[in-house]
Amino acid sequence: MTGAAATYGQTAWQGVELANKMQPTLANGDSVKVVLVDSKSDKVETATGATRLIDQDKAVALIGEMITGNTQQILQIADSKKIPAVAPAATADKLLDTIKFGSRVTFQDSVQGEVAADFAIKSNLKNAVVVADQSTAYSLGLAKAFEKQFSKNGGKVIKKLNINSGDKDFKAIASQIATLNPEFVYIPFYYTEAALLVRQAKQIGVKAMFVGSDGIGNQTYIDLGGEATNGTIFTDVFDYTKPETKLSEDFVNEFEKANGNREVAGFTALGADTYFILVNALNKCEDQSGECINNALHSTQNFEGVSGTISLDEKGNATRSVVLKEIVEQKPVYKDTIIPSK
């Protein structure tokens, strides 16, 4: 809720909170209580909060965290205590490989990286610069997936450039991009650095298309980057103008009543879906044991959620759609929905 990745937590909590108001009880009439703990975008705070929720608040399941590094902290603790944890937005491919009591409702890095690469090729953009945040597994994973798919389909990555979380001066990176003059720049990292890079690149006349990931799928990216964000393409999980299910429609309507607009962010939809899928699993377990809840989660098939239809496999990984958006006049606009082949 605070710290470097605060926007992610704030938007997801909107979804969890509203979902709880829409479905406050289980099928047996028991109330569902949600307890919020602020990780402050910090790994140590995340671990402390997860432990407190289980040991003191007696949580039967955990939701969170929002970014991969912090989510790994929660999963390790949840696994050791045999309490299921569901991640709304952590996308690292190997996140759940060694975890038993973990699930997620979003896609994996390889999926959105491949979607971005396929979009570039279909748009006849054959050469690209990839900029990766070398301090996050999220960014490195996406960059690797993009490069592999882009090269496989005939594209050429003419340069790979690195940044670090917290960087603010991107003049040198922007200058290199301008000199290389690519058709396409892939920026798979978080909103603050992405906005600053795009703004500084546009200031020196870079004309390339910038394409990002779900890490920039929020209003803060637009607020920080201003007009320079226009034309940015990014992968997301949901578009409120194209609700895919009845629950999507109902949620957007309830969101409008509560907030005065229908602009449900992708992470808000994911927060809601995490809650709804957990409640669905809880309804299948009379004893509310971690083992039963976890098995029910991993048996989720064709759940018609807020962000679309979601299935979870035996490891808790989600199969779901990917949405492409473009920022037009500083507003995200729907472009397409892609059903991944795997």
Side-chain angles (χ1 to χ4, degrees):
M1 300 296 288
T2 59
T7 295
Y8 300 147
Q10 292 164 5
T11 51
W13 175 245
Q14 269 192 309
V16 173
E17 197 172 32
L18 182 55
N20 179 244
K21 290 178 180 176
M22 292 175 65
Q23 192 173 357
T25 61
L26 299 180
N28 65 6
D30 288 349
S31 295
V32 180
K33 180 183 179 182
V34 289
V35 178
L36 175 65
V37 172
D38 182 10
S39 70
K40 302 177 184 177
S41 307
D42 178 78
K43 289 182 180 179
V44 175
E45 291 283 350
T46 298
T48 301
T51 301
R52 195 200 88 186
L53 286 168
I54 296 170
D55 292 346
Q56 296 182 25
D57 295 305
K58 305 302 178 185
V60 297
L62 299 179
I63 292 175
E65 218 251 17
M66 296 305 297
I67 59 177
T68 294
N70 293 349
T71 300
Q72 289 169 332
Q73 301 297 310
I74 286 181
L75 291 172
Q76 289 169 11
I77 292 166
D79 231 32
S80 69
K81 295 179 180 291
K82 298 183 179 180
I83 295 292
V86 186
T91 54
D93 279 12
K94 296 182 179 180
L95 181 75
L96 302 175
D97 280 6
T98 62
I99 298 296
K100 179 180 178 181
F101 287 83
S103 302
R104 61 174 137 201
V105 296
T106 192
F107 39 59
Q108 295 168 255
D109 287 337
S110 55
V111 174
Q112 61 172 333
E114 289 170 7
V115 166
D118 290 343
F119 167 77
I121 295 297
K122 289 177 182 176
S123 301
N124 202 33
L125 303 170
K126 297 296 180 66
N127 67 75
V129 166
V130 176
V131 185
D133 182 343
Q134 61 186 348
S135 62
T136 71
Y138 167 78
S139 185
L140 293 172
L142 278 164
K144 181 180 179 181
F146 170 84
E147 184 178 4
K148 180 179 179 181
Q149 183 76 358
F150 191 58
S151 300
K152 175 185 172 183
N153 291 341
K156 181 180 180 182
V157 174
I158 55 178
K159 188 77 172 181
K160 292 183 284 186
L161 302 171
N162 292 322
I163 67 162
N164 286 292
S165 296
D167 288 351
K168 292 182 172 58
D169 185 351
F170 295 103
K171 293 185 181 67
I173 295 286
S175 179
Q176 289 187 70
I177 294 171
T179 300
L180 292 163
N181 193 30
E183 298 173 315
F184 181 96
V185 182
Y186 190 46
I187 50 170
F189 40 92
Y190 300 136
Y191 54 87
T192 302
E193 291 79 14
L196 293 173
L197 171 59
V198 170
R199 190 171 69 191
Q200 291 172 38
K202 294 283 185 75
Q203 284 172 347
I204 62 170
V206 172
K207 302 298 184 184
M209 176 182 290
F210 286 85
V211 177
S213 55
D214 61 333
I216 63 172
N218 56 70
Q219 186 60 39
T220 306
Y221 171 72
I222 297 172
D223 292 342
L224 290 173
E227 291 184 0
T229 62
N230 287 334
T232 300
I233 306 291
F234 64 96
T235 42
D236 204 351
V237 292
F238 177 69
D239 189 275
Y240 67 91
T241 68
K242 303 285 184 180
E244 295 183 33
T245 70
K246 183 179 185 303
L247 185 58
S248 298
E249 296 176 1
D250 292 345
F251 186 86
V252 172
N253 289 335
E254 291 300 319
F255 184 91
E256 183 178 24
K257 291 177 186 176
N259 298 280
N261 67 76
R262 299 176 64 82
E263 298 175 8
V264 177
F267 279 14
T268 300
L270 287 177
D273 278 337
T274 308
Y275 176 87
F276 285 128
I277 279 179
L278 258 175
V279 169
N280 183 60
L282 287 165
N283 279 331
K284 297 176 181 178
C285 296
E286 291 184 11
D287 62 2
Q288 304 293 292
S289 69
E291 193 81 34
C292 181
I293 298 167
N294 194 58
N295 288 339
L297 284 167
H298 290 184
S299 300
T300 301
Q301 293 295 310
N302 299 316
F303 181 85
E304 295 188 357
V306 175
S307 64
T309 301
I310 302 168
S311 296
L312 304 185
D313 65 16
E314 67 279 0
K315 290 296 297 179
N317 288 310
T319 300
R320 55 156 308 117
S321 59
V322 182
V323 172
L324 273 178
K325 295 181 183 179
E326 179 179 5
I327 296 175
V328 178
E329 296 182 353
Q330 298 182 58
K331 290 284 187 182
V333 176
Y334 174 85
K335 281 185 73 70
D336 198 8
T337 297
I338 295 96
I339 306 299
S341 57
K342 63 177 183 178

